[in-house]
Amino acid sequence: MTEKATKRHTDPALAEARRNQVLTAAAECFRRKGYHGAGMAEISKTAGMSAGHIYNYFDSKEAIIEAIIQRDMEEMFSIFQQFEDDPGDLLTIMLDGADQGVERHIDKDKNALELEMLAEAARNQKMAFLMQQSDTHARARMRRLLTGERSLVKEATDKELDARINVIFAMIGGLAIRRTLYPELQKDTILLALRPALRTLLSPFE
Amino acid sequence: MTEKATKRHTDPALAEARRNQVLTAAAECFRRKGYHGAGMAEISKTAGMSAGHIYNYFDSKEAIIEAIIQRDMEEMFSIFQQFEDDPGDLLTIMLDGADQGVERHIDKDKNALELEMLAEAARNQKMAFLMQQSDTHARARMRRLLTGERSLVKEATDKELDARINVIFAMIGGLAIRRTLYPELQKDTILLALRPALRTLLSPFE
C-alpha cells in the first residue's frame, strides 16, 4: 500500500473532504470548458491537488462525473426522505416542500453543470446511461411516494402515475432552463403558479 | 458585386434554400461537437458548400446561431398565431394545441441542440443574450394571449401572470430534459398529466 492510499484509509473524514474538493473543482471546470473540453490537468490545477493525488480517489474523469451524479441523487433523495418521514398530510408536505425543489433548480452553478451534462449526454452514451440510471431511481422513488397509503392518487394507473411524475419532473427540472433564459425570475414568483399546478398533479383529475 | 452575391439576390427562393442548408448543417455540427467545438470548416463540409459560399449568407458562426434562434422563435410564434387566429374558446384551443408544444419539445435533434445552446449560454455572454432576448419576446407574446379578452386569467396581477407564463414554459421546456433522461417517454403519456396542469395554469387559482 502506498503512503497516500494509507492516508486515505486511515482518515475517512479527510478522504471525504478531499473527494469533495475534487468534485467541486471538476464541476467548475466542466461548467467553464464543457465536460469534453476539461481535462484532468485542469481539474487538478483548479482543485489545488496533484493529478497523482486525485487518482487516489478517482480513476478517471468518468469516475468523477459518476460521483457528481451520485451526489446529486443523494441530495434529491434526502428531500424525498423528509417527505416520507413527515407524518403529516402528504399533499401539504409536498406543496410546502416545493420551495426546496425550486431552490435546487434555480441555483446558477448547479444549472450550468446540469445543462452541460444533458448536452453531453446527447453525444456521449456513457453520460446518457449514467444520467438515465439516476433518473430511473428518482422516478421509482417518486412513484413509491405517490402509491403510498397517504397519497391522493395511489389508485392511478401505471401510465397515469408515469404521466404525473414526468410532468412534475419536467416542471421542476425545466426551471433550470427558465433561469438561464430569464435570470431575473424569483423563487416566490415561481411558487405562486407552481404550487397550484403541483396540487393538480398530486390530486385526482376531474 | 460578385457573381455569387448576384446569384443570391436574383433568386430569393434558392438563397433561402441555401441558407436553410447551412442552418441544418450547422445545427448538426453543434449537436455533435458542441457549439464551441464546431468550426466553419466542419459546417462547410457537412453542408456540402464551400466556406466562401457560406460567407455569402452568414458572416460568422455567431450569425448562424442567431439565425437558428430566430428560426426557432418564428416556429414557436406560428403556434401562438394559430391560437390567436382561432375564434373559439381560448382554454380549449390551448389545451388542444398542447400536443404541438409537446411535439416540438420531444424531438431528439431539436432537444440536443437546445440543451447545447443552453449549456453554452452559461459560458458565452453573447449566446446568453441572444437566447434571453428571444425568450423575452416569447413571454411577451404569451402575456398578450393571457391578457386578451378571451382569457380566463386576464385580470391576474403582473406578477401572477409572470408566474403562470414561466411555469407553463418550464413545464413544456422541461420536456427536453425528460426525453433526454427517459427516452421511452411518449407524447400521449405526457399529455395525460400535462393537460390538467395546463388547465390549472390557465384558469383562476382557487
Side-chain angles (χ1 to χ4, degrees), chain A residues 28-135:
Chain A
E28 192 190 318
C29 296
F30 297 156
R31 279 196 305 271
R32 205 170 46 203
K33 293 282 179 82
Y35 176 75
H36 185 77
M40 281 299 245
E42 196 183 352
I43 295 171
S44 140
K45 198 174 151 194
T46 307
M49 287 166 67
S50 73
H53 196 173
I54 290 182
Y55 282 112
N56 274 337
Y57 301 103
F58 300 100
D59 286 340
S60 61
K61 199 165 79 167
E62 217 171 60
I64 293 178
I65 202 74
E66 205 164 338
I68 288 177
I69 292 172
Q70 181 70 27
R71 189 172 65 170
D72 282 355
M73 194 165 69
E74 281 161 12
E75 274 176 34
M76 185 169 48
F77 279 11
S78 81
I79 300 182
F80 281 118
Q81 193 61 48
Q82 275 177 38
F83 294 164
E84 288 183 3
D85 291 345
D86 192 317
D89 170 62
L90 186 66
L91 179 62
T92 309
I93 292 166
M94 290 182 80
L95 290 177
D96 284 349
D99 66 339
Q100 287 179 70
V102 173
E103 195 103 45
R104 260 181 71 82
H105 287 88
I106 61 176
D107 178 281
K108 207 178 155 222
D109 285 347
K110 264 199 201 315
N111 275 354
L113 179 60
E114 205 207 330
L115 293 169
E116 169 56 28
M117 285 162 60
L118 287 162
E120 178 69 16
R123 46 184 176 254
N124 176 333
Q125 277 206 308
K126 176 74 184 175
M127 179 76 90
F129 173 77
L130 289 172
M131 295 186 81
Q132 286 166 6
Q133 196 182 36
S134 161
D135 189 66

Side-chain angles (χ1 to χ4, degrees), chain A residues 31-32 116 123 132 135 139 159 162-163 166 169-170 173-174 177-178 180-183 188-189 192 200 205, chain B residues 31-32 116 123 132 135 139 159 162-163 166 169-170 173-174 178 180-183 188-189 192-193 200 205:
Chain A
R31 279 196 305 271
R32 205 170 46 203
E116 169 56 28
R123 46 184 176 254
Q132 286 166 6
D135 189 66
R139 290 199 314 276
K159 183 171 169 171
D162 210 29
N166 277 288
F169 283 9
I177 300 178
R178 287 284 87 221
T180 303
L181 297 179
Y182 183 28
D188 66 322
T189 304
L192 212 56
T200 297
F205 296 144
Chain B
R31 280 195 306 269
R32 203 169 50 203
E116 168 57 26
R123 47 185 175 256
Q132 287 165 7
D135 190 65
R139 291 198 313 279
K159 184 171 168 171
D162 209 29
N166 277 286
F169 283 9
R178 287 284 85 222
T180 304
L181 297 178
Y182 183 28
D188 67 321
T189 304
L192 212 56
T200 296
F205 295 145

